[in-house]
Amino acid sequence: MQDKCTTVLVYTREAMSRSNCYPYGYRRLGSDGMEVVDDSWRVRLPSLLWIPVFVFGALLYFVDIFEIEFLSLHPTIESIKDFTYDIHKGFAINTPGCKIPEMDPFDPSVQKFIEPPTPVECNKGVPALFEANLTSIYITRSSLPAYNVSDINDLRCCYWVIQRIEPKKNQYDVFMSKSSMCKYINTSAEIKDEFIKVQCFLDNATTYVDTFSFVPIKNSTKSKVIRSKPLNVLVVGLDAVSRLNLHRQMPDTLKYLQQLEAVEMLGYNKVGDNTFPNLIPVLTGLFEDELIKSCWPTTKSFFDNCTFLWNHFKSKGFVTAYGEDSSWMGLFNYQRHGFQKQATDYAYNYFNRYAETHIGNAHKMNVNQCEGARMVYKDLLEYIKKFVVTMNNNSLPFFGFFWGASLSHDYLNQPKLGDPVYLKFFQELQEEGHLNNTALVLMSDHGIRWGGIRQTYQGRMEERLPFVFVVLPTWYRNNYDRAYSNLKRNARRLTTPFDLHETLYDLLDPYGLSGENLKTANKSRGISFFRDITKYRTCEDAGIASHWCACQQSKELDKNSSVVIDVATFAVNYINLELQGYAQCANLTLLDILNARLMSHSGDIEGLNNIQDYMITIKTIPGEAIFEVTVRYFEIDHKYAVIGTISRLNLYGKQSACITDFHLKLYCFCKNFL
Ligand SMILES: *[C@@H]1O[C@H](CO)[C@@H](O)[C@H](O)[C@H]1NC(C)=O
Ligand SMILES: *[C@@H]1O[C@H](CO)[C@@H](O)[C@H](O)[C@H]1NC(C)=O
Ligand SMILES: *[C@@H]1O[C@H](CO)[C@@H](O)[C@H](O)[C@H]1NC(C)=O
Ligand SMILES: *[C@@H]1O[C@H](CO)[C@@H](O)[C@H](O)[C@H]1NC(C)=O
Ligand SMILES: *[C@@H]1O[C@H](CO)[C@@H](O)[C@H](O)[C@H]1NC(C)=O
Ligand SMILES: *[C@@H]1O[C@H](CO)[C@@H](O)[C@H](O)[C@H]1NC(C)=O
Ligand SMILES: *[C@@H]1O[C@H](CO)[C@@H](O)[C@H](O)[C@H]1NC(C)=O
Ligand SMILES: *[C@@H]1O[C@H](CO)[C@@H](O)[C@H](O)[C@H]1NC(C)=O
Ligand SMILES: *[C@@H]1O[C@H](CO)[C@@H](O)[C@H](O)[C@H]1NC(C)=O
Ligand SMILES: *[C@@H]1O[C@H](CO)[C@@H](O)[C@H](O)[C@H]1NC(C)=O
Ligand SMILES: *[C@@H]1O[C@H](CO)[C@@H](O)[C@H](O)[C@H]1NC(C)=O
């Protein structure tokens, strides 16, 4: 049933075995967008044609062996381009340990899911009455008619100061206080506070409510002393955008990043299902279960005892900031208790929570797209700008980690709306000199996890391959050329959130990244982008579960075959076992098998020679849930096991309202809907 090329491949150092199985650029999609495996071409090939193939193979063999030496002798950009061109044709990643096909963002199989984004109207078209700059708020006279103000003297406006309150044990980290006094505002006011709520009255009735955030210098940040010239770190995240979706939706931003010589990590592979299991590795270097063991014993615990990247930067004298929008479902807050003590010097997420609660609107699926008359994601970007400008103007070194979900969390095409806005954001940062001393990382956590595109082969691959760009100042690239050429080479290697963690950690000491210091253990789970990531690295080496591994080649199977039916039945039973003890959830039965593939691992994986991984997509009832499950078959003892997490490809919506466990929500169909 398996052909030679789709069984577990044992790679020798010979490039031949590679070209034998995966002719460069050869990949075909069937009408359903699924990859079609067709090896009949091999038989038809006249034998003379093999000669140039052998010669080419031998050439690759030498390039293979001497690659590292070659790079360190001639670490110029041109030479890297020259010899990588042919190797990479048709592949995003083409190493002995991992092969990921290069896919077209506008491939016919995904074309039908690409639509213009839906325009957003904030506040039903009523404009804001106040605007803010770095330090002040001021009235916008042109908005007065929209608020029925004919004489500005009839209008009374004032502002309250909003502050976070520490939660007590077992409480959620959601409390904010409002000052008792509302300070009078005439037409403008300089604001020295961090967060404010503005309210205006006309004829004693409230006619306008708004919220604004600022970045005042705090006592805690005033006395930062740092000896050498620091390299600031700014991470800007955009939730649920695959690398290819960034290419599709944000071409202008992409072009600008390329102008900034951003390095795009083509083989950045996610390690968990959704945001939490992919960002916790970035921020802590740990998997979720390791975090639980080390510092976060229950979902009711605060995260205070865990060590995040910002803790390291803080102890080095950096000012730290964390901020996210859609913070009701925030990283530390969605069914979790957050922090007791504020984790970073600045934390925009608390402001966002207050703003969305009080003036959130244009609600769509999971997010408020607007707070008052402003789009939420733009407000986050403006806050980031304020933070960066303030820190630079006061010569304060900073580490900022920001995460935007409101633009991109739920829809494939909405990020397009943000293209001009992100472009302008990066342009301003660059043109005003804010990137001179800053390492910038633009990243996502995964691609879109549900909807039509997710049920195509390409959509499945994209879900596992989010974008990551690294932008370094020119002087740093020039002075630390070894670290920079490693970064560029690793753009074509298999990489993970654990590596990004090591990369950001390396930036604690950016001037140490040269010579012997760059040596690293080949087999460690996380390896900094600035160091040598071996091309022999497999998903297993990198800590990527088979279910999430984008390196695997696969072969479509007959859905009616007995092994596929066995596997599907096993998967449904497995889900039912998980739900055991939750009497409110219905027992699921298999309705249909939508897709079945046999996966083959790239690279030689020790001890995994007698295993077969099946990836199946099934539909169950009640609820018509669609699941994607990787089931491993152990030939020796004829046993099956589910590998990694089960993906839910359509939304569960209210179906699982009767259960709070966020893992089981994916599976549970509440009996009360029967
Ligand atoms: C911000 O706006 C206030 C009020 O209009 C103005 O006085 C101030 O100069 C502005 N500041 C900046 C940095 O633009
Ligand atoms: C302005 O007046 C119109 C007509 O009375 C009313 O419908 C509208 O709600 C008012 N707008 C505001 C912002 O109060
Ligand atoms: C508000 O400011 C204007 C000038 O901008 C001034 O004429 C007016 O008297 C002020 N009103 C109050 C109540 O302070
Ligand atoms: C506003 O309220 C105050 C106190 O309740 C009252 O004296 C005043 O007449 C009210 N003004 C208007 C325009 O309703
Ligand atoms: C900051 O320091 C000033 C002067 O030392 C003090 O008056 C103020 O209360 C401090 N603010 C905070 C929030 O601790
Ligand atoms: C942190 O750890 C200490 C010591 O183990 C413990 O007493 C405390 O409750 C923990 N704090 C949190 C927020 O979990
Ligand atoms: C920068 O800070 C100085 C004082 O620290 C201030 O005078 C200046 O206006 C600030 N510039 C900006 C653009 O905020
Ligand atoms: C940033 O670098 C550019 C080019 O080297 C220089 O012209 C500019 O003054 C710098 N800006 C700052 C704020 O350091
Ligand atoms: C990493 O692997 C390379 C090639 O196999 C080897 O030459 C090198 O010594 C290894 N480095 C370490 C630190 O193990
Ligand atoms: C699978 O089996 C069903 C019923 O036994 C049949 O209708 C269907 O055509 C078969 N599909 C394939 C792909 O063989
Ligand atoms: C649940 O459904 C499976 C078939 O998928 C069946 O074997 C099992 O007995 C059912 N369990 C319960 C508790 O009804």
Side-chain angles (χ1 to χ4, degrees):
M1 204 170 63
Q2 298 172 6
D3 82 32
K4 256 209 301 249
C5 291
T6 52
T7 49
V8 177
L9 286 162
V10 180
Y11 280 96
T12 62
R13 292 188 65 108
E14 267 175 294
M16 264 317 300
S17 66
R18 226 163 18 187
S19 55
N20 214 342
C21 293
Y22 306 108
Y24 301 127
Y26 190 87
R27 196 173 74 73
R28 224 179 76 204
L29 295 177
S31 55
D32 58 350
M34 293 296 177
E35 192 182 9
V36 176
V37 173
D38 171 9
D39 58 353
S40 53
W41 61 275
R42 210 148 35 96
V43 183
R44 289 194 301 267
L45 218 55
S47 58
L48 259 184
L49 264 181
W50 286 109
I51 293 169
V53 175
F54 270 108
V55 171
F56 184 54
L59 262 170
L60 282 181
Y61 174 68
F62 283 107
V63 171
D64 247 338
I65 285 186
F66 295 117
E67 185 182 7
I68 290 167
E69 288 76 1
F70 182 82
L71 275 176
S72 54
L73 284 176
H74 309 282
T76 65
I77 296 157
E78 275 320 298
S79 63
I80 294 171
K81 270 188 192 152
D82 283 352
F83 86 87
T84 53
Y85 177 74
D86 279 330
I87 296 179
H88 293 133
K89 200 168 168 207
F91 289 94
I93 302 296
N94 185 13
T95 62
C98 177
K99 285 170 202 306
I100 299 174
E102 182 62 78
M103 295 172 290
D104 176 0
F106 298 95
D107 189 272
S109 68
V110 299
Q111 197 67 253
K112 62 174 173 287
F113 306 108
I114 306 169
E115 301 165 351
T118 318
V120 179
E121 189 183 54
C122 289
N123 227 8
K124 302 205 166 78
V126 178
L129 193 47
F130 275 85
E131 294 294 344
N133 60 21
L134 193 60
T135 51
S136 305
I137 54 170
Y138 49 89
I139 205 159
T140 314
R141 285 174 192 273
S142 61
S143 298
L144 289 171
Y147 291 88
N148 297 339
V149 180
S150 47
D151 181 353
I152 195 168
N153 293 312
D154 295 342
L155 190 70
R156 285 279 171 275
C157 299
C158 63
Y159 73 90
W160 279 280
V161 177
I162 306 300
Q163 271 183 315
R164 171 179 185 264
I165 306 176
E166 269 182 21
K168 296 195 174 62
K169 197 166 188 289
N170 290 327
Q171 287 183 330
Y172 286 89
D173 181 12
V174 294
F175 302 107
M176 302 291 278
S177 70
K178 195 173 83 173
S179 57
S180 51
M181 281 277 296
C182 196
K183 275 195 208 163
Y184 175 74
I185 315 167
N186 190 339
T187 52
S188 73
E190 194 182 348
I191 307 294
K192 302 257 197 245
D193 307 288
E194 196 173 8
F195 308 139
I196 63 166
K197 174 187 180 184
V198 173
Q199 197 161 2
C200 295
F201 304 86
L202 189 65
D203 300 335
N204 284 353
T206 299
T207 186
Y208 176 68
V209 177
D210 211 342
T211 55
F212 295 94
S213 57
F214 296 90
V215 184
I217 298 294
K218 297 185 179 186
N219 288 358
S220 65
T221 62
K222 266 180 186 155
S223 60
K224 300 277 170 185
V225 210
I226 202 152
R227 269 160 226 96
S228 60
K229 183 168 114 174
L231 188 62
N232 304 308
V233 177
L234 177 62
V235 180
V236 179
L238 191 54
D239 200 283
V241 180
S242 69
R243 187 175 80 78
L244 292 188
N245 204 36
L246 188 93
H247 284 238
R248 267 197 290 271
Q249 311 292 353
M250 303 179 91
D252 295 339
T253 304
L254 175 69
K255 210 183 294 163
Y256 191 68
L257 289 168
Q258 286 164 348
Q259 266 178 47
L260 296 179
E261 307 247 11
V263 176
E264 180 177 12
M265 307 308 289
L266 304 184
Y268 186 81
N269 197 127
K270 73 170 189 170
V271 296
D273 189 24
N274 51 7
T275 305
F276 191 75
N278 286 299
L279 283 195
I280 288 301
V282 176
L283 291 171
T284 66
L286 300 175
F287 270 123
E288 185 176 340
D289 56 342
E290 294 164 343
L291 190 81
I292 290 169
K293 278 198 203 103
S294 81
C295 59
W296 188 57
T298 74
T299 46
K300 284 201 168 138
S301 314
F302 294 115
F303 288 93
D304 296 38
N305 280 352
C306 302
T307 305
F308 297 92
L309 279 172
W310 47 72
N311 298 108
H312 300 296
F313 280 89
K314 201 168 187 164
S315 53
K316 267 234 159 183
F318 286 67
V319 178
T320 57
Y322 178 75
E324 59 192 346
D325 65 3
S326 300
S327 55
W328 75 270
M329 56 174 182
L331 186 59
F332 303 105
N333 300 95
Y334 179 63
Q335 296 180 340
R336 302 181 184 98
H337 286 239
F339 291 88
Q340 185 160 40
K341 292 243 173 305
Q342 184 170 312
T344 48
D345 296 314
Y346 294 88
Y348 172 85
N349 42 308
Y350 298 110
F351 167 76
N352 169 268
R353 166 81 65 131
Y354 189 88
E356 287 199 31
T357 307
H358 289 83
I359 55 169
N361 67 90
H363 190 90
K364 197 172 174 190
M365 195 167 324
N366 283 309
V367 306
N368 288 306
Q369 299 178 96
C370 306
E371 52 188 52
R374 278 177 291 277
M375 290 205 62
V376 171
Y377 82 93
K378 285 192 197 176
D379 194 65
L380 172 64
L381 289 181
E382 271 166 30
Y383 180 85
I384 300 174
K385 178 87 193 296
K386 282 182 185 176
F387 172 72
V388 170
V389 169
T390 306
M391 292 305 119
N392 280 339
N393 190 32
N394 291 277
S395 303
L396 291 168
F398 65 85
F399 172 87
F401 193 99
F402 298 96
W403 200 255
S406 65
L407 173 67
S408 54
H409 187 268
D410 298 328
Y411 296 94
L412 182 73
N413 296 299
Q414 288 308 85
K416 195 165 197 73
L417 288 178
D419 193 22
V421 181
Y422 274 85
L423 171 65
K424 184 159 162 283
F425 171 74
F426 291 120
Q427 269 172 342
E428 285 179 3
L429 286 183
Q430 166 69 7
E431 282 160 16
E432 293 168 22
H434 297 299
L435 299 182
N436 280 12
N437 282 321
T438 301
L440 169 71
V441 173
L442 178 65
M443 66 173 294
S444 190
D445 47 357
H446 52 75
I448 204 95
R449 294 189 297 123
W450 51 62
I453 192 172
R454 180 58 186 82
Q455 284 160 50
T456 66
Y457 168 81
Q458 177 154 339
R460 190 184 80 210
M461 293 290 280
E462 286 192 26
E463 189 231 48
R464 282 134 167 98
L465 296 166
F467 70 83
V468 170
F469 292 83
V470 181
V471 183
L472 297 168
T474 315
W475 61 266
Y476 188 82
R477 281 190 257 132
N478 293 340
N479 293 345
Y480 295 85
D481 54 343
R482 175 81 187 277
Y484 181 55
S485 58
N486 281 346
L487 171 68
K488 288 183 72 89
R489 194 186 49 231
N490 291 333
R492 292 280 193 176
R493 297 273 152 97
L494 177 63
T495 54
T496 69
F498 296 108
D499 303 334
L500 183 52
H501 176 81
E502 298 302 324
T503 307
L504 295 169
Y505 190 87
D506 261 352
L507 289 172
L508 276 168
D509 182 18
Y511 305 112
L513 295 178
S514 59
E516 286 298 294
N517 293 341
L518 287 175
K519 277 229 151 73
T520 189
N522 283 338
K523 284 274 181 177
S524 45
R525 182 172 69 189
I527 303 172
S528 162
F529 297 164
F530 299 123
R531 297 168 190 264
D532 285 334
I533 296 178
T534 157
K535 62 184 163 178
Y536 299 104
R537 193 185 214 197
T538 61
C539 282
E540 273 73 10
D541 296 337
I544 306 164
S546 183
H547 186 65
W548 304 128
C549 179
C551 302
Q552 296 171 331
Q553 305 289 316
S554 65
K555 175 179 157 171
E556 196 153 1
L557 298 174
D558 179 0
K559 290 178 268 191
N560 279 0
S561 70
S562 64
V563 62
V564 169
I565 292 167
D566 275 1
V567 165
T569 309
F570 173 79
V572 175
N573 288 339
Y574 176 88
I575 294 173
N576 282 332
L577 275 176
E578 291 283 294
L579 289 172
Q580 226 172 36
Y582 297 89
Q584 68 269 45
C585 304
N587 194 35
L588 301 178
T589 43
L590 182 66
L591 177 68
D592 197 7
I593 300 171
L594 305 178
N595 186 259
R597 304 178 79 83
L598 179 63
M599 314 300 291
S600 68
H601 297 269
S602 301
D604 178 11
I605 303 157
E606 285 159 39
L608 293 185
N609 294 323
N610 287 318
I611 58 113
Q612 288 151 22
D613 282 350
Y614 294 91
M615 186 177 287
I616 54 163
T617 312
I618 52 175
K619 193 186 264 185
T620 57
I621 43 173
E624 307 221 344
I626 299 175
F627 297 109
E628 183 183 86
V629 193
T630 300
V631 174
R632 182 166 291 176
Y633 177 62
F634 296 91
E635 217 166 85
I636 296 168
D637 40 9
H638 306 289
K639 277 197 175 129
Y640 291 113
V642 167
I643 302 298
T645 325
I646 294 176
S647 304
R648 169 91 187 227
L649 304 192
N650 54 354
L651 294 171
Y652 51 80
K654 292 202 170 63
Q655 286 184 359
S656 58
C658 58
I659 195 164
T660 55
D661 182 298
F662 53 87
H663 294 300
L664 294 181
K665 262 186 180 296
L666 296 177
Y667 314 143
C668 181
F669 182 88
C670 298
K671 278 183 183 159
N672 53 316
F673 291 112
L674 282 174

